[in-house]
Amino acid sequence: DGDVALETAYVTYDADGIGAMLGRFGTPIGYEVLSPWGNSNISRSLSWQGQPINHDGIAISGSADIVDVMIGVVNSYSVADQQIFVNDGNDDKAILGSIGAGINDAFNIYVAGLYSEEPGGGDTDVGQLNAIVSGLVPINDDSDVRYAVEGNWREVDPDSGSDSTLWSVVGYLGFDVGPVAVDGRLEYMDDDDGQLLGANSNEIVSFTLTGTIALVEGVDFRMEYRHYEADKKVYLDGGSGDDSVDILQAQVVWHPSL
């Protein structure tokens, strides 16, 4: 019924710089990940909602000096989180790939893309491109400032009807002071064509600030403040014009090393 699903299960083969991966694996697209302890914020960006999570298929990867390249063929845009027996509902496959260059600790470039033809009411072409610049900038001998800037673009083009475009830019900035971490996220999303919000299509700006303290090894306590500003009434019923919402939340994350 979709309540329980297999996140990843794959086999890999490493042939000295060239590798193959077969099965269900995580997507190469996006800066944020599904596991909550893998992200610096409690919440995920709006952009994360418009990205795939995992794929069923095969991928070939290789590296040379500072460059890593991957290309894969998978069943669909993403693994269906419900009705899991129709993940491969047609004969069409999706093509995905990525290329990254680790220039140094302070500057890394990564680009990933996907093209898929999805069934349902006539074939629908889906194209997505994601680009990330990230790094660690040293402050002193004990601490660094981590940053990332992510650009995301997705186009949906059905055989019948008009196409739609979604794009966003997300910036991440954070640093540690002893057992305490402070991380901020600033995002702009243009969803005027309604890919994620449907009839509530609009432009949204959001700001997130998260504080984390390591209580003991493998246990973190987080507090987070989020503010959303939209140009239509997304968060409150009725009315028209700009709309905003403020959210305060806490989280305890347990991520033991096994």
Side-chain angles (χ1 to χ4, degrees):
D1 58 4
D3 288 340
V4 178
L6 187 64
E7 181 182 340
T8 57
Y10 56 87
V11 294
T12 60
Y13 178 77
D14 186 6
D16 193 22
I18 298 178
M21 181 166 51
L22 176 66
R24 177 169 295 181
F25 47 86
T27 185
I29 293 175
Y31 181 73
E32 295 170 321
V33 297
L34 185 61
S35 301
W37 54 86
N39 299 312
S40 298
N41 303 107
I42 295 178
S43 61
R44 299 181 185 90
S45 64
L46 292 170
S47 301
W48 187 84
Q49 300 177 37
Q51 298 169 351
I53 295 175
N54 49 8
H55 307 280
D56 289 340
I58 185 171
I60 308 296
S61 61
S63 60
D65 197 13
I66 63 172
V67 177
D68 295 306
V69 178
M70 185 274 288
I71 187 168
V73 178
V74 295
N75 276 346
S76 186
Y77 176 79
S78 184
V79 175
D81 59 358
Q82 297 192 28
Q83 299 179 345
I84 60 176
F85 295 109
V86 296
N87 279 336
D88 193 14
N90 63 356
D91 293 331
D92 295 319
K93 305 301 178 187
I95 305 297
L96 57 85
S98 66
I99 181 170
I103 310 300
N104 51 48
D105 290 342
F107 188 74
N108 302 276
I109 302 174
Y110 179 81
V111 178
L114 180 150
Y115 173 80
S116 176
E117 191 173 72
E118 301 296 308
D123 289 336
T124 299
D125 296 332
V126 179
Q128 186 153 18
L129 187 64
N130 181 261
I132 301 168
V133 175
S134 63
L136 293 172
V137 179
I139 301 176
N140 51 46
D141 293 338
D142 299 323
S143 60
D144 303 312
V145 170
R146 52 185 170 272
Y147 77 92
V149 178
E150 175 185 18
N152 190 63
W153 172 88
R154 187 176 76 173
E155 183 175 66
V156 177
D157 185 8
D159 282 353
S160 59
S162 58
D163 60 351
S164 63
T165 301
L166 167 74
W167 68 272
S168 63
V169 178
V170 194
Y172 306 85
L173 190 68
F175 61 90
D176 299 336
V177 180
V180 177
V182 178
D183 288 274
R185 182 181 66 219
L186 181 63
E187 178 178 22
Y188 172 81
M189 171 174 282
D190 186 324
D191 189 27
D192 276 344
D193 292 333
Q195 284 193 24
L196 292 183
L197 299 171
N200 290 322
S201 59
N202 63 98
E203 301 171 13
I204 297 178
V205 176
S206 68
F207 170 72
T208 304
L209 184 64
T210 306
T212 303
I213 181 169
L215 301 178
V216 297
E217 184 177 357
V219 180
D220 296 334
F221 176 74
R222 295 173 169 178
M223 286 287 294
E224 180 175 283
Y225 166 74
R226 277 189 293 161
H227 175 79
Y228 289 118
E229 192 79 28
D231 66 352
K232 292 185 180 178
K233 289 290 183 182
V234 181
Y235 306 108
L236 301 175
D237 294 333
S240 61
D242 293 348
D243 192 15
S244 64
V245 64
D246 297 278
I247 301 170
L248 184 65
Q249 58 185 339
Q251 179 190 63
V252 176
V253 180
W254 178 46
H255 51 105
S257 298
L258 301 178

